Amino acid sequence: MDIVVKGRKTEVPDRFRKHVAEKLNPERIQKLDAKVISLDVEVSKEHNPRQADRSDRVEITLHSRGPVIRAEAAAADPYAALDLAQDKLEARLRKQHDKRHTRRGSGRLSAAEVADVVPDAATLNGNGEPVTAEKTDAIPTTRIGSLEVQGEGPLVVREKTHSAAPMSLDQALYEMELVGHDFYLFVDSETKLPSVVYRRHAYDYGVIHVNPDGASSSEQPPGGAGGALGG
């Protein structure tokens, strides 16, 4: 099992790289998922002094022949953040391991049954939505990718492209929990439409289907698909 440690806009000391290799014990992880191929560990640092207690963020991504599993955490130092992220990763691995055995024993869990074993809502990662502001000549504008950022931010922009086979709603809900997000983008294997499943209140979840033909629907709320997330 390969372990790759990298820094995003920060240097990663050799001492921490060695600590990661010792902490993320391959034998322990492979007992929970024998199909694991590699682990990516990304370290980033927040330089805002008002966020000193969460200045170091560690994100662990597990790649295997099954679904991708991701866990991340922030703390006052990278060692503490790694401990928290490792705990989350192992909890998600145990859940996947238990579900695999449940499928073998009494059949596959339904979406409603999966909700019964969902833990508390996962914390969001550092990605945020752009905040628009009134345009003024006195405010400097910086272009980041396809966005124009006014002022000094803070605004973190990350762009990712994923390839994935169509899947059922049940599988999308399950994989949303494995990566620890409150939403999951997928292609519905039944409707063949781009879709998003997202967490609402308590254990409820919602689903948005996007019609690429732009055909209007009487069920779609005003403001387009984006407005449905507020429900």
Side-chain angles (χ1 to χ4, degrees), residues 95 99 110-115 118 167-179 181 184 186 197-199 203-206:
K95 185 170 71 173
K99 180 172 181 178
S110 68
E113 291 171 324
V114 170
V118 171
M167 65 181 67
S168 65
L169 173 60
D170 184 22
Q171 183 67 17
L173 176 66
Y174 171 56
E175 296 201 16
M176 178 183 73
E177 298 303 331
L178 289 182
V179 297
H181 289 174
Y184 192 82
F186 69 105
V197 61
Y198 63 96
R199 192 189 309 281
Y203 293 130
D204 294 338
Y205 64 92

Side-chain angles (χ1 to χ4, degrees), residues 20-130:
V20 169
E22 295 172 351
K23 186 75 175 174
L24 300 179
N25 188 298
E27 292 182 4
R28 183 174 175 180
I29 291 176
Q30 287 173 333
K31 283 182 181 179
L32 295 171
D33 187 351
K35 298 180 180 180
V36 61
I37 299 171
S38 65
L39 284 174
D40 290 343
V41 180
E42 184 178 271
V43 183
S44 58
K45 191 169 185 68
E46 170 59 59
H47 297 285
N48 188 338
R50 286 180 290 185
Q51 298 186 25
D53 59 335
R54 297 174 58 83
S55 60
D56 290 274
R57 180 175 294 275
V58 172
E59 179 180 296
I60 307 173
T61 304
L62 182 147
H63 300 278
S64 72
R65 291 191 291 275
V68 172
I69 301 177
R70 182 177 293 109
E72 62 180 297
D77 65 78
Y79 295 90
L82 176 65
D83 289 345
L84 293 172
Q86 180 195 22
D87 289 344
K88 291 181 181 181
L89 179 72
E90 291 188 357
R92 287 165 190 163
L93 280 171
R94 279 192 291 271
K95 185 170 71 173
Q96 183 193 39
H97 181 268
D98 293 343
K99 180 172 181 178
R100 190 181 301 120
H101 284 274
T102 302
R103 285 179 176 177
R104 291 174 183 170
S106 58
R108 182 172 178 175
L109 296 175
S110 68
E113 291 171 324
V114 170
D116 291 336
V117 296
V118 171
D120 292 338
T123 56
L124 293 174
N125 59 23
N127 297 336
E129 294 183 354

Side-chain angles (χ1 to χ4, degrees), residues 101-166:
H101 284 274
T102 302
R103 285 179 176 177
R104 291 174 183 170
S106 58
R108 182 172 178 175
L109 296 175
S110 68
E113 291 171 324
V114 170
D116 291 336
V117 296
V118 171
D120 292 338
T123 56
L124 293 174
N125 59 23
N127 297 336
E129 294 183 354
V131 179
T132 58
E134 243 180 78
K135 285 191 175 180
T136 333
D137 293 338
I139 300 177
T141 300
T142 306
R143 190 167 187 85
I144 302 177
S146 59
L147 296 178
E148 287 189 353
V149 182
Q150 294 182 338
E152 296 181 357
L155 176 63
V156 178
V157 178
R158 296 178 65 186
E159 184 174 338
K160 294 183 179 181
T161 302
H162 297 280
S163 58

